Amino acid sequence: MGRGRQKAKATKQARDIKYYSPNTDYSALQRELTGPGSRATKHYADDPVEPDYSAYVDKYADDLEDDDDEVNSRRIG
């Protein structure tokens, strides 16, 4: 007998959560995302540069295509 009251309360809570919109402090969000200016750029400057693997793509591309054919032609059972 209490199911209707329970469902109504759950529906009300879900509606309150769905339409809740707190005030957003955009300046605080920008400060959080940007952080200290010099520290962020220094961190990325020390990262090594990724080597160029484009020469290997053409060399090994045919091998990858052949492997796919073997999987599809395999019989199961």
Side-chain angles (χ1 to χ4, degrees):
M1 194 165 178
R3 176 69 179 123
R5 186 178 302 157
Q6 181 182 4
K7 184 176 180 186
K9 184 178 180 181
T11 303
K12 182 183 177 207
Q13 288 174 339
R15 190 176 297 119
D16 289 344
I17 292 170
K18 181 178 180 180
Y19 295 112
Y20 175 71
S21 59
N23 295 331
T24 306
D25 186 5
Y26 292 108
S27 60
L29 178 62
Q30 184 175 3
R31 284 192 310 268
E32 182 179 337
L33 293 176
T34 56
S38 62
R39 197 172 107 198
T41 55
K42 184 179 178 187
H43 172 70
Y44 293 116
D46 295 338
D47 288 343
V49 177
E50 185 175 335
D52 184 22
Y53 293 114
S54 61
Y56 297 110
V57 172
D58 295 333
K59 183 177 180 182
Y60 295 107
D62 295 333
D63 293 339
L64 293 174
E65 292 172 4
D66 293 340
D67 291 341
D68 292 341
D69 295 337
E70 291 174 10
V71 172
N72 293 337
S73 65
R74 188 179 308 161
R75 297 179 77 182
I76 301 173

